[in-house]
Amino acid sequence: MNVTLETQDPITCCDECLVRPGNTNCGGCGMSVGLVMLDRALKSAGQRCQLVIPACCGIVTAGGYPTTGYSVPVLASTFAASPAFASGVAAVRDLNDEPHQVICWAGDGGTYDIGMAALSAAAERNENIIYICYDNEIYGNTGGQRSSATPPGARTTTTPVGKLERKKDIMAIMAAHRIPYAATLSIAHPEDFARKLDTALHLEGFRFLLIHSPCPTGWKSEPAESVELVRLAVGSGLFPVYEVFDGWRYRITIKPNGADPMEYYRRQNRFPAAAMDADAVRAEVAGATARLARLAEVFAAG
Amino acid sequence: MAIEVVTGNHAAGYALSVAAEANRVGRGAACGIYPITPQTEIVEFVARFPFTKGRVIAVESEHSAMGVSIGAAMAGARAFTASSSNGLAYMTENIMVAGYYRLPIVLAAVNRTLGPPWNIWADQGDTLYLRDFPVIQLYCETNQEVLDSTLLAFRLAEDPRILLPVMVIMDAFILSHTQMETDLPEQDLVDRFLPPLELPHQLNFERPTTVGGLTWPRETLSQRLEIDEAMERVGAVYEEHRAAFEKIFGRDPGGAISAFETEDAEAVLIASGTIASTAREVVRTRRARGEKIGMVKMKMFRPLPVDALLDAMPRATKIGVLDRDYAAGVGGVWWHDLRAAMQGRRDDVMVQDYLTGVCGGDVTPAMLDEVIDDLLGRRSAGKPVWKGIDR
């Protein structure tokens, strides 16, 4: 069989869903939930999208060519350059007055690390694209190595005794670009999640969305507990859920409920107990929560 | 038509711009740009060009410059970019992607020595090192050839039988910053030569494929074979477009190779880029003294036009390849490739390598006289001979 890019029709089973049934994603994968949420938000807004996906589990979701797990056009980009690829796609969309969204869908490796320069540059140019990072805090696609999104204490294949450094505060970095919209999203809070996607879909310019995305294989957690885990992360303040307009107007959309961060750690096998100092963890989280609350109070989103 | 005295960079920038502008009736033009000496003037030119339907995005790196152009091309626009030396090296991952995605992106490349150490002068090592990717490579001798080849490059790249990126290449400073009389064609002529682009596999909501996702070995192999078949077609398709070019613009943009005094030549020099000018003059002088020598200018490096080369020098038994490049542990890239390609077809030919002008050194007529003397005096080929080294 001579398969060509020009002539081979995609094999489809469901044209209604952004991500089709039968894809290869793992059970309990937060990214899968995120894609379903994105699908609903697009339908609700009456919009469609083209996806640009760098190396990450999101491109594996497509499955083996000529089948595709997506019902929209997808351009696989090089690992470091999805915002650049998307800038080119979006430029041509705008030149031709087409209404669809151009959306980057990337993991934490392509966002926090190898793609940081292209991401920062596209944000600085205020490219008219939506950039969504599903942050599973690990290089899940290569079997679970450290990323700069990996939280302190987490054991990965390249941090065998637990990571020693803090997680990079990418929201602060993105907000510093004064982009129109930056928000964190949790699959445990679908109404908030949907509202933020809708907000992003109705704004122009560079929009950055960060999804806390459980990875059961990397987190050494039960797939069935994924949503419960990220709910604990929000409740304890480990993953603050908020939005930032134009880089300086803040709104906390889901307030922590006083859950104990240590419960979040205990329910995953990636955090060796010896690496976790409960008092230090609680103090760190309390400090970050208070700081964000103060920002939201002083620089409130109207 | 307007004949102006312009640099090679200006010629390339003009050609890229008017070619892209010609797609204003299609999906427009868009590209990413990033500066590097000695290419910078090219991207400055296109950044100033008043495109009717185009966007030039000044990005943060060569890697992203090609990334933007890939995204634009995949969305159906006419796309191009430019780079040089370490910038090309940094862009390499995405040049490779543009090739495997079968995108007709034209890349203007100014040959400059790869560093370290920091050296801004001409050396073809930066483009020749891309030899294993599906990218057509055209080396130019004059600024007019830069302009003509760039226009031709779009038509060749966008031909549905080809659909591959094309690199149009010139020597740093010797062309990039040297002014020559150049015929800069008006937009309406360019419009006649370059019809709107309709990329068959552009992103399309009616056929929502995942371009570049996982493929199994069988499908990947099939796509590689198609690239090989497209490369096989390049020679003939190039000739078609060369004829069309001549009809519209009234001049010959040059062939994949250009032979000079080779029909009865027993010894032949093979040169590319600006060294060809010097080599031609040296051969002309020695011909006048009755020596049966000739010279071939190689414009096309990928695909390598070996058949045309062999046809052009039926009586040659000694070939001297002039390489303005050095591949560590191998010698000259042109020599390495040509020698390999001749194997089994012209085993009677002695192919000797001369490393001339490597790292930007001057290539003088006296140096080429030495090369010819050495070639004529040889009974067998030896290791590559370095020229221009003081020690």
Side-chain angles (χ1 to χ4, degrees):
Chain A
M1 186 176 73
N2 212 19
V3 180
T4 74
L5 281 174
E6 299 85 39
T7 59
Q8 180 66 45
D9 284 327
I11 296 166
T12 63
C13 66
C14 171
D15 289 329
E16 285 73 44
C17 337
L18 175 70
V19 60
R20 293 169 167 144
N23 65 67
T24 54
N25 296 348
C26 304
C29 168
M31 179 196 68
S32 295
V33 180
L35 284 166
V36 171
M37 294 296 292
L38 176 62
D39 180 36
R40 290 182 185 174
L42 285 161
K43 283 198 182 76
S44 170
Q47 298 184 11
R48 53 185 187 173
C49 74
Q50 293 172 332
L51 292 176
V52 177
I53 309 179
C56 67
C57 291
I59 198 64
V60 178
T61 302
Y65 185 87
T67 58
T68 171
Y70 293 104
S71 67
V72 298
V74 178
L75 173 57
S77 81
T78 44
F79 204 0
S82 66
F85 278 51
S87 297
V89 175
V92 179
R93 172 203 58 192
D94 293 344
L95 286 173
N96 291 280
D97 296 322
E98 292 159 344
H100 60 263
Q101 298 284 351
V102 175
I103 299 176
C104 285
W105 183 265
D108 48 305
T111 304
Y112 286 73
D113 293 338
I114 194 171
M116 192 72 218
L119 173 63
S120 171
E124 182 263 334
R125 297 192 304 270
N126 198 26
E127 294 288 348
N128 193 15
I129 58 180
I130 298 177
Y131 189 100
I132 302 177
C133 170
Y134 63 93
D135 177 9
N136 57 26
E137 306 182 328
I138 200 169
Y139 295 167
N141 198 28
T142 42
Q145 297 76 35
R146 153 201 216 283
S147 91
S148 60
T150 302
R155 188 158 47 196
T156 71
T157 60
T158 50
T159 54
V161 296
K163 190 187 170 189
L164 301 176
E165 303 82 13
R166 282 197 171 102
K167 176 170 179 162
K168 188 188 280 184
D169 186 355
I170 197 154
M171 282 294 286
I173 294 169
M174 296 315 293
H177 290 78
R178 298 288 192 99
I179 53 177
Y181 191 59
T184 61
L185 293 74
S186 173
I187 61 168
H189 297 275
E191 297 86 359
D192 181 71
F193 195 120
R195 187 189 62 74
K196 284 173 177 164
L197 278 173
D198 195 61
T199 302
L201 289 171
H202 288 93
L203 286 170
E204 290 201 348
F206 198 87
R207 292 143 284 169
F208 178 81
L209 304 177
L210 182 70
I211 302 172
H212 196 208
S213 180
C215 174
T217 56
W219 290 15
K220 313 294 178 211
S221 57
E222 284 300 317
E225 288 199 12
S226 284
V227 172
E228 200 48 45
L229 282 174
V230 293
R231 191 188 305 282
L232 269 172
V234 175
S236 63
L238 275 165
F239 185 77
V241 179
Y242 63 110
E243 57 194 352
V244 191
F245 294 87
D246 303 315
W248 67 281
R249 295 183 294 121
Y250 291 78
R251 181 189 289 131
I252 297 167
T253 58
I254 307 286
K255 290 195 169 64
N257 62 10
D260 182 4
M262 295 316 291
E263 179 62 14
Y264 172 77
Y265 291 114
R266 272 194 294 271
R267 289 171 65 172
Q268 303 166 62
N269 284 324
R270 63 170 165 159
F271 294 103
M276 307 307 296
D277 177 335
D279 290 342
V281 166
R282 287 174 187 134
E284 174 89 11
V285 174
T289 303
R291 180 180 169 278
L292 185 64
R294 183 81 177 125
L295 278 173
E297 183 189 329
V298 176
F299 305 109
Chain B
M1 296 272 187
I3 294 178
E4 293 185 30
V5 181
V6 300
T7 63
N9 278 341
H10 184 108
Y14 182 87
L16 291 170
S17 301
V18 292
E21 174 69 3
N23 203 42
R24 65 195 176 284
V25 292
R27 288 185 61 74
C31 69
I33 57 166
Y34 194 79
I36 179 172
T37 302
Q39 169 276 124
T40 305
E41 291 170 344
I42 299 176
V43 297
E44 287 173 342
F45 189 101
V46 302
R48 286 194 302 265
F49 191 86
F51 290 103
T52 310
K53 185 178 178 181
R55 180 157 176 233
V56 176
I57 305 180
V59 296
E60 81 289 356
S61 72
E62 289 89 352
H63 191 271
S64 282
M66 183 52 98
V68 168
S69 296
I70 288 171
M74 202 51 100
R78 187 164 282 155
F80 61 88
T81 190
S83 197
S84 180
S85 190
N86 287 42
L88 280 171
Y90 193 44
M91 190 187 278
T92 295
E93 186 192 21
N94 282 336
I95 297 175
M96 169 188 85
V97 168
Y100 287 136
Y101 277 174
R102 306 294 300 271
L103 295 177
I105 295 171
V106 173
L107 172 63
V110 183
N111 281 134
R112 166 186 153 181
T113 307
L114 285 163
W118 198 18
N119 177 321
I120 58 173
W121 292 278
D123 184 302
Q124 294 178 347
D126 58 346
T127 49
L128 291 170
Y129 120 101
L130 299 165
R131 62 181 161 173
D132 298 334
F133 299 126
V135 180
I136 296 165
Q137 294 197 21
L138 304 175
Y139 288 78
C140 301
E141 186 185 347
T142 65
N143 293 355
Q144 187 70 60
E145 192 175 1
V146 168
L147 184 135
D148 294 352
S149 302
T150 306
L151 296 178
L152 186 59
F154 280 99
R155 182 131 161 191
L156 180 63
E158 293 173 6
D159 190 301
R161 295 166 291 180
I162 306 296
L163 286 176
L164 288 169
V166 181
M167 292 173 73
V168 181
I169 300 157
M170 68 176 118
D171 289 336
F173 299 104
I174 305 167
L175 289 190
S176 70
H177 285 65
T178 301
Q179 295 187 318
M180 298 179 192
E181 276 193 4
T182 309
D183 195 334
L184 305 173
E186 300 292 341
Q187 186 67 52
D188 62 327
L189 277 187
V190 179
D191 292 349
R192 278 173 56 200
F193 184 64
L194 291 171
L197 168 65
E198 197 54 52
L199 186 76
H201 54 291
Q202 63 185 271
L203 297 177
N204 180 345
F205 282 103
E206 275 62 58
R207 244 174 25 87
T209 49
T210 293
V211 181
L214 184 73
T215 61
W216 309 112
R218 190 180 65 166
E219 282 77 24
T220 316
L221 183 61
S222 173
Q223 291 175 8
R224 293 290 192 274
L225 179 64
E226 288 189 332
I227 286 169
D228 191 48
E229 289 166 352
M231 279 286 184
E232 285 282 330
R233 289 190 285 266
V234 167
V237 174
Y238 179 95
E239 284 301 311
E240 277 180 35
H241 296 316
R242 178 186 177 189
F245 185 102
E246 191 165 7
K247 209 168 171 183
I248 289 176
F249 297 103
R251 61 177 175 274
D252 180 5
I257 69 161
S258 304
F260 178 72
E261 303 277 17
T262 53
E263 282 103 46
D264 64 340
E266 286 156 12
V268 171
L269 288 184
I270 295 183
S272 58
T274 52
I275 292 178
S277 299
T278 313
R280 192 180 295 107
E281 288 314 305
V282 171
V283 167
R284 196 193 307 277
T285 304
R286 296 184 68 141
R287 266 272 160 185
R289 300 207 298 257
E291 292 176 277
K292 287 196 172 176
I293 55 176
M295 173 276 216
V296 173
K297 176 179 98 168
M298 304 287 296
K299 179 193 183 82
M300 193 179 287
F301 170 70
R302 279 293 180 270
L304 198 61
V306 180
D307 291 338
L309 178 65
L310 292 178
D311 288 348
M313 44 178 203
R315 304 199 43 196
T317 53
K318 293 179 175 182
I319 292 173
V321 180
L322 304 175
D323 265 298
R324 193 196 278 279
D325 65 90
Y326 169 70
V330 172
V333 174
W334 286 99
W335 169 70
H336 189 253
D337 263 38
L338 287 168
R339 192 178 52 152
M342 285 182 194
Q343 201 167 41
R345 283 190 273 186
R346 285 293 302 273
D347 290 332
D348 56 324
V349 174
M350 182 188 89
V351 189
Q352 174 62 38
D353 193 20
Y354 298 94
L355 302 172
T356 49
V358 178
C359 305
D362 271 344
V363 180
T364 61
M367 184 190 286
L368 295 190
D369 269 325
E370 288 174 21
V371 164
I372 292 170
D373 290 344
D374 181 271
L375 184 65
L376 293 174
R378 274 182 183 271
R379 289 179 173 274
S380 62
K383 289 180 178 177
V385 175
W386 289 85
K387 302 299 291 182
I389 291 187
D390 306 317
R391 64 176 179 188

